[in-house]
Amino acid sequence: MPLTLVGAVLIMLPTLLLRGRIDVVTQPTPALLVRGRLADLLLEYHPFGAMCAMAIGHIVIAQRQGLTARILTHELAHVRQAAHWGFVFPVVYIAASVWALLHGKDAYWSNHFEIAARRAEQES
């Protein structure tokens, strides 16, 4: 819940003010799907590099164009991870990246949470 609240304050309210779109995803994991100009800018200029989508709690922020079922499945896996780990999820996610780096691996591709999200894509 705390991560979802952060997502709501940071992205949902400004998105609505800028005439963006918020949809409800019910299956396989409940989430709010947020799209619009603000979401596009946030994803394009993200500090860790441009991306198609990202999840904050039960909120999935996605580009207005190019959201595929595969990408949504990936992000909904992160929603489930955040629900499981709660407010410590950002900390354990970053720790998994640091762990990968310390073992000479890529921080994103070898992150345990990203591996699990890619596996969810393949299973869908």
Side-chain angles (χ1 to χ4, degrees):
M1 182 68 171
L3 293 176
T4 303
L5 184 59
V6 168
V9 171
L10 291 178
I11 192 73
M12 282 180 52
L13 296 176
T15 294
L16 288 175
L17 293 173
L18 295 172
R19 298 186 184 136
R21 182 176 171 146
I22 299 175
D23 296 304
V24 176
V25 176
T26 58
Q27 295 293 328
T29 303
L32 296 174
L33 178 60
V34 178
R35 292 182 278 186
R37 287 183 296 164
L38 181 62
D40 288 348
L41 287 171
L42 174 68
L43 294 167
E44 185 176 343
Y45 297 104
H46 192 277
F48 298 125
M51 52 187 73
C52 299
M54 66 181 284
I56 301 175
H58 280 266
I59 298 173
V60 175
I61 304 161
Q63 292 177 330
R64 286 182 284 183
Q65 305 295 322
L67 178 66
T68 65
R70 189 182 121 257
I71 293 169
L72 182 58
T73 299
H74 181 105
E75 294 307 323
L76 290 175
H78 289 313
V79 169
R80 289 188 298 278
Q81 292 165 350
H84 175 79
W85 286 93
F87 70 93
V88 298
F89 180 64
V91 174
V92 296
Y93 181 94
I94 291 169
S97 289
V98 170
W99 180 263
L101 285 171
L102 290 173
H103 288 85
K105 297 180 179 178
D106 185 83
Y108 176 80
W109 292 101
S110 297
N111 180 305
H112 167 76
F113 297 102
E114 292 299 336
I115 292 168
R118 288 192 299 275
R119 190 176 314 119
E121 289 175 35
Q122 295 169 351
E123 294 171 357
S124 68

